[in-house]
């Protein structure tokens, strides 16, 4: 069974860099076709896709945020890390990581973590 | 751009829910539906417009292609009251604004 769990700070100051970790089980990012995404939801607003990293270290970023985002993986720890630079109060959101894999569900997110709420305030 | 309607749907258990997702350009069949509940992991319901994800009850029915898509919940169960999002599969995945299905 695939599970994912997000962790990181609940509060960051404006201009700081946010670092979030997704720890997963039930699949390996060393296996062909596997990927992990980051998606966020500001309070009362819609979901927004942020970034994706594949098993082969290929990476995709939201064009609207890519100059602030970095996604990396640690296959040995079954972890994916997202950093977002220069945080602003508008970046306050619940941040989710989600599994995606090549196959019949290519491009869709079949397993999600429960999310972690991040507040941005001085 | 994905436009979902209505923003809120007020229904009673047992009633039929019809949710719409309209795209600004053709998506072929590449659309998914998700269910979100507070404090829970989002759940994939439908992918490629009409395919139920594993373990999803038959009362969830996806239909449509091109620019117009529909999620139908044939008979609402108490656990179905939630927010539903459509998503376009692409190199820059996009979500709709959501439809809240609330108890009338």
């Amino acid at each position: 069974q695939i599970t994912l769990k997000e962790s990181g700070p609940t509060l960051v100051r404006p201009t700081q860099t946010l670092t979030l970790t997704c720890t997963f089980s039930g699949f390996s990012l060393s296996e062909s076709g596997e990927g992990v995404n980051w998606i966020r939801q500001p309070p009362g607003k819609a979901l927004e896709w942020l970034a994706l990293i594949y098993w082969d270290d290929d990476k995709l970023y939201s064009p609207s945020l890519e100059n602030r985002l970095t996604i990396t993986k640690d296959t040995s720890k079954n972890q994916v890390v997202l950093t977002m630079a220069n945080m602003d109060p508008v970046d306050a959101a619940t941040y989710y990581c989600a599994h995606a894999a090549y196959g019949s569900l290519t491009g869709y997110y079949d397993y999600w973590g429960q999310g972690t709420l991040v507040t941005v305030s001085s | 751009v994905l436009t979902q309607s209505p923003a809120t749907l007020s229904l009673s258990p047992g009633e039929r829910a019809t949710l719409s997702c309209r795209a600004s350009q053709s998506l072929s069949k590449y659309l998914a539906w998700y269910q979100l509940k507070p404090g829970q992991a989002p759940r994939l319901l439908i992918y490629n417009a009409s395919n139920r994800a594993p373990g999803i009850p038959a009362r969830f029915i996806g239909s449509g292609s091109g620019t117009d898509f529909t999620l139908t919940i044939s008979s609402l169960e108490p656990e179905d009251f939630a927010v539903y999002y459509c998503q376009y599969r692409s190199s820059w995945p996009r979500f709709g604004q959501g439809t809240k299905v609330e108890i009338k």
Side-chain angles (χ1 to χ4, degrees):
Chain A
Q1 177 169 345
I2 290 175
T3 64
L4 304 99
K5 186 172 184 179
E6 307 86 353
S7 59
T10 57
L11 175 67
V12 296
R13 308 298 182 192
T15 75
Q16 285 188 334
T17 294
L18 171 68
T19 300
L20 295 173
T21 300
C22 176
T23 303
F24 56 86
S25 63
F27 69 98
S28 173
L29 262 182
S30 62
E31 292 181 5
S32 178
E34 298 288 353
V36 172
N37 296 261
W38 284 96
I39 296 160
R40 71 179 179 179
Q41 184 177 32
K45 296 188 177 181
L47 294 164
E48 179 184 19
W49 176 81
L50 301 175
L52 162 63
I53 189 165
Y54 285 111
W55 83 101
D56 61 358
D57 212 37
D58 193 16
K59 301 164 187 176
L60 290 172
Y61 294 102
S62 167
S64 63
L65 291 166
E66 66 178 322
N67 62 334
R68 299 174 54 205
L69 295 174
T70 304
I71 190 169
T72 59
K73 61 181 175 69
D74 186 332
T75 304
S76 65
K77 293 183 179 179
N78 280 351
Q79 290 182 335
V80 170
V81 174
L82 180 77
T83 62
M84 180 179 289
N86 194 24
M87 291 290 286
D88 183 272
V90 300
D91 296 312
T94 297
Y95 286 76
Y96 297 97
C97 58
H99 171 262
Y102 283 136
S104 59
L105 291 174
T106 298
Y108 305 118
Y109 316 115
D110 53 355
Y111 296 92
W112 298 60
Q114 290 196 320
T116 186
L117 179 62
V118 177
T119 301
V120 184
S121 174
S122 55
Chain B
V1 176
L2 296 177
T3 302
Q4 291 188 240
S5 62
T8 303
L9 204 48
S10 298
L11 296 167
S12 301
E15 289 193 295
R16 181 186 196 91
T18 303
L19 289 67
S20 173
C21 179
R22 180 162 291 178
S24 56
Q25 61 189 59
S26 178
L27 308 182
S28 183
K29 65 177 181 178
Y30 299 117
L31 188 102
W33 292 92
Y34 298 85
Q35 178 191 67
L36 269 73
K37 294 181 181 179
Q40 295 187 20
R43 184 165 70 147
L44 172 66
L45 302 174
I46 301 288
Y47 66 97
N48 286 347
S50 61
N51 297 103
R52 267 187 298 276
I56 300 303
R59 64 181 182 272
F60 291 95
I61 303 161
S63 61
S65 65
T67 60
D68 289 300
F69 300 85
T70 301
L71 174 67
T72 302
I73 310 171
S74 59
S75 178
L76 283 164
E77 296 288 337
E79 62 268 28
D80 298 337
F81 292 92
V83 183
Y84 294 84
Y85 289 91
C86 56
Q87 175 236 331
Y88 168 47
R89 184 192 102 171
S90 78
S91 59
W92 185 8
R94 315 300 286 274
F95 292 88
Q97 293 297 308
T99 291
K100 182 180 181 180
V101 179
E102 65 177 22
I103 299 176
K104 186 174 182 181

